[in-house]
Amino acid sequence: MTGRGWRAGAGYRLLVSALRRQRRGLAWILLWSVLESVPPLLSGLLVSVAIDGFLAGDVAGALGALGLFLGAAVVGALATRQVFPWLARVVEAVRDSFVVATVTGALTDAVQSSGPSDTAGVARLTEHVQSVREVLFAVLRIVRQIAFTVVAALIGLCLLAPVVALGTALAVGLAMAVFLVRMPKLAATQKTVLLAEEKVARRAGAVFGGIRDVVACGGERQAAGDVGRAVNDHVRLSRRLAVATSSRMVVVFLGGQLPLLALLAAAPWLLVGEHLSVGELVGAVTYLTAGLEPALRRLLEVLATWGLEMGVSVARLGEGFAPGDGARPATGGVPAPGRMSLTAEALTFAYSPHAAPVCRDLGFRLAEGEHLAVVGPSGTGKSTLVSLLAGLLPPTRGRVLLGDTPLGDIADGELRRVIGLIPQEAYVFAGSLRENIGYLAPGAGAGEISAAASAVGLDELVARLGGLDVTLGPEGAELSHGEAQLVALARVYLSPARIVILDEATSALTPDEEATAEAAFTARGGTLVVVAHRISSAVRAGRVLLLDGDTAVIGTHDELVQLSSTYADLVGHWRHDAMSAAT
Ligand SMILES: Nc1ncnc2c1ncn2[C@@H]1O[C@H](COP(=O)(O)OP(=O)(O)OP(=O)(O)O)[C@@H](O)[C@H]1O
């Protein structure tokens, strides 16, 4: 097994090896299946003997044939009863094999990755195991029975009327060929539906699990939009699957109804030419109407729904844990320190396919350790851009690279450890100040926590509250907005993040407090991106990115004052605000 559990294809290998270990059970199932097929094998033959007997006046012979028919039905029923315990044994044993492999994969994954374990992934996989169990049972119970019925009816028909059997076998073969040709497309559609279902579960699970954070960060609209998009995708794909599976009616017609229509059309010729007796004709019709057509219809129904579902679930299990949205596996790792540049390439993003893009074809590169201020009038997309840079929003077009790796290729947990984004609405949870500050650095010692608190300017608050171990109420109700922002800043300061993004995260601090906090992050090392709302903050940055509707300009503060009238206006406006605040 690899670090991320077992891979695609492994699910099928496990299924085959688990079934191989159940050879004895499968042999018993085969034996009882043969006996179970006695009624469909003999039905047409016995009906034909009975009818021809009655027509010829041989009532005793005809009644004898009907008696045999009854006896065959009893044998079939007894055999069906015997099949069930063996089915249960085989299916439960296979289920056990999958559970062992799934749990082992999950444990291996948890031990090998240093991040939190993917409990939602375990739940998802156990759901797939349950699905494999149910569908395997259904397939072995129904598909097996139907397949034996089809074969028995064809053999019976062959004994009764070889010409009809030949035509029917050709039609059934053609129907199955059409079905098999369509199978890969159906399987692919079924897989997209399953992935979409998982995506809904994952998105909704993440939102419900972090509902306090979502509310605290004012992210309700974004969270609802995320879940809504996943639900809409699921609905659209389910509709597509329904249309695709309904095409199996053509297959039922080809294999089940076409031979019957042909037989009825040829009946006058068959009877007049004495190719078949009346009894044989009715017997052949019995095979087609009571045996083949319903069996074929059921077989296709089961294969097209449960069979596909099982196939997809087994393959999905083999892929182990689905990273991201399951659409694309995380293939890249986080680059080594010194190579963590952040690059936007032709970055375009719109909140919906019909909405105007918030940013369009944006391109720039931040070297590791740079300090960038993002500025612009309200609503020009500053928060959207930093969410894209943090990998919280997927670009509509273009990409964001960490080093040479697109953010979409990096596992979520790793990305979150490397890039820390602090929103304007700081989140403080019920617990001690120490727990709040150390939350993203579980191994941090007391000295490191105190140092982080001092660095961002929390000493005064710590003194006022009476130490780091004082317990804060829900959502830090006793803290001012600025104090809560300082706690959030200290938390990310102490975290392992190499790229820190402050999205107006110092808006409630005084200019001096803001300068202290930003200086702390500059001294800490790593890249700093600040959505600035004061001139001082932009002046401190090495470069400034101005978002102004459709245009974006990047340069030093002095360059932008020369280059952009919007920036010059913004600076004037900030200076005026700062002077008014000072007087
Ligand atoms: N979740 C969302 N769904 C749809 N539209 C959104 C969403 N979030 C933001 N927008 C829209 O995208 C545009 C850019 O918003 P954004 O918050 O990124 O701008 P901003 O420059 O950070 O604004 P401000 O300075 O006022 O915080 C706005 O028109 C906003 O209405």
Side-chain angles (χ1 to χ4, degrees):
M1 280 184 205
T2 69
R4 295 195 71 78
W6 17 295
R7 299 294 172 195
Y12 287 109
R13 283 197 294 282
L14 182 67
L15 180 65
V16 171
S17 77
L19 283 172
R20 267 207 198 119
R21 283 196 293 278
Q22 298 304 313
R23 276 197 206 97
R24 185 162 165 264
L26 290 170
W28 275 105
I29 291 173
L30 183 70
L31 177 74
W32 291 119
S33 303
V34 171
L35 287 176
E36 213 182 5
S37 315
V38 169
L41 175 72
L42 297 181
S43 61
L45 280 168
L46 293 172
V47 164
S48 115
V49 171
I51 288 179
D52 284 342
F54 282 127
L55 289 175
D58 179 10
V59 176
L63 288 176
L66 289 181
L68 274 177
F69 196 5
L70 189 65
V74 172
V75 170
L78 288 174
T80 302
R81 187 176 178 280
Q82 295 302 321
V83 167
F84 276 86
W86 288 107
L87 282 182
R89 270 195 215 188
V90 169
V91 171
E92 295 308 322
V94 171
R95 195 268 319 256
D96 289 349
S97 304
F98 271 91
V99 168
V100 169
T102 303
V103 173
T104 311
L107 287 175
T108 309
D109 200 53
V111 169
Q112 290 184 357
S113 79
S114 49
S117 53
D118 181 8
T119 47
V122 174
R124 236 167 25 236
L125 291 175
T126 44
E127 200 181 297
H128 283 314
V129 170
Q130 185 60 11
S131 167
V132 169
R133 172 181 175 263
E134 282 168 13
V135 179
L136 179 63
F137 182 74
V139 167
L140 280 179
R141 183 169 72 85
I142 300 172
V143 176
R144 171 199 53 82
Q145 195 180 35
I146 298 171
F148 274 84
T149 302
V150 170
V151 172
L154 280 174
I155 294 174
L157 198 55
C158 196
L159 295 174
L160 185 71
V163 183
V164 181
L166 183 65
T168 306
L170 285 176
V172 170
L174 178 67
M176 291 315 290
V178 170
F179 180 72
L180 290 177
V181 166
R182 290 200 40 75
M183 195 82 165
K185 187 151 182 264
L186 275 176
T189 315
Q190 174 92 42
K191 182 166 182 179
T192 57
V193 171
L194 258 186
L195 289 176
E197 212 171 275
E198 284 185 11
K199 186 164 146 186
V200 171
R202 194 164 36 251
R203 292 267 164 101
V207 169
F208 291 134
I211 194 75
R212 284 195 341 177
D213 304 61
V214 170
V215 174
C217 299
E220 295 101 320
R221 200 152 56 120
Q222 188 165 330
D226 267 5
V227 177
R229 274 193 293 277
V231 170
N232 288 342
D233 282 352
H234 185 224
V235 170
R236 186 173 46 78
L237 291 167
S238 300
R239 280 208 190 107
R240 193 185 292 170
L241 181 65
V243 171
T245 47
S246 65
S247 67
R248 67 171 179 266
M249 296 316 296
V250 177
V251 179
V252 173
F253 173 77
L254 278 180
Q257 289 157 355
L258 193 60
L260 179 64
L261 285 177
L263 179 62
L264 292 177
W269 173 76
L270 290 168
L271 290 175
V272 172
E274 295 193 356
H275 300 288
L276 290 182
S277 67
V278 173
E280 285 167 341
L281 182 70
V282 177
V285 169
T286 306
Y287 278 127
L288 293 179
T289 54
L292 264 180
E293 201 269 353
L296 203 61
R297 183 185 290 273
R298 198 89 207 280
L299 181 66
L300 292 173
E301 219 171 78
V302 173
L303 284 180
T305 50
W306 296 341
L308 280 177
E309 188 182 328
M310 187 177 99
V312 173
S313 289
V314 167
R316 199 78 189 87
L317 275 165
E319 287 165 17
F321 294 95
D325 280 332
R328 197 161 46 137
T331 50
V334 165
R339 299 184 173 199
M340 286 202 207
S341 57
L342 198 60
T343 310
E345 272 185 7
L347 194 58
T348 301
F349 179 84
Y351 277 99
S352 80
H354 307 295
V358 177
C359 65
R360 198 195 302 261
D361 289 329
L362 202 56
F364 60 87
R365 181 176 179 277
L366 281 183
E368 185 172 345
E370 258 201 84
H371 179 175
L372 177 81
V374 181
V375 302
S378 177
T380 46
K382 301 180 294 293
S383 295
T384 305
L385 173 66
V386 292
S387 294
L388 288 161
L389 293 180
L392 294 172
L393 286 175
T396 308
R397 278 200 317 277
R399 54 189 190 162
V400 178
L401 303 164
L402 182 62
D404 295 328
T405 313
L407 296 191
D409 288 352
I410 301 174
D412 230 31
E414 284 185 57
L415 198 58
R416 296 280 72 78
R417 275 190 289 282
V418 174
I419 305 181
L421 184 147
I422 315 179
Q424 186 173 12
E425 290 308 317
Y427 179 51
V428 176
F429 56 83
S432 69
L433 207 47
R434 185 186 302 284
E435 286 164 340
N436 264 284
I437 296 172
Y439 186 68
L440 297 176
E448 290 168 297
I449 292 179
S450 299
S454 292
V456 301
L458 258 179
D459 282 342
E460 209 176 297
L461 175 71
V462 174
R464 178 170 75 75
L465 291 176
L468 283 165
D469 289 314
V470 67
T471 303
L472 302 171
E475 291 170 29
E478 56 274 73
L479 303 184
S480 69
H481 188 190
E483 287 167 339
Q485 285 190 332
L486 285 174
V487 173
L489 288 165
R491 185 187 297 144
V492 173
Y493 180 92
L494 191 58
S495 78
R498 300 304 305 153
I499 296 172
V500 171
I501 300 175
L502 310 183
D503 184 1
E504 305 214 18
T506 51
S507 60
L509 304 186
T510 64
D512 286 348
E513 286 171 335
E514 181 178 75
T516 304
E518 281 183 14
F521 277 101
T522 310
R524 172 184 176 272
T527 308
L528 182 63
V529 178
V530 181
V531 176
H533 71 292
R534 282 193 186 107
I535 178 69
S536 46
S537 188
V539 171
R540 274 191 296 271
R543 282 195 295 166
V544 179
L545 172 67
L546 169 72
L547 298 183
D548 181 18
D550 269 354
T551 54
V553 196
I554 192 163
T556 62
H557 167 75
D558 293 337
E559 284 167 352
L560 285 197
V561 171
Q562 300 297 321
L563 277 175
S564 163
S565 56
T566 310
Y567 188 70
D569 286 351
L570 208 57
V571 170
H573 179 71
W574 277 334
R575 287 224 161 97
H576 177 263
D577 280 357
M579 273 159 57
S580 314
T583 52

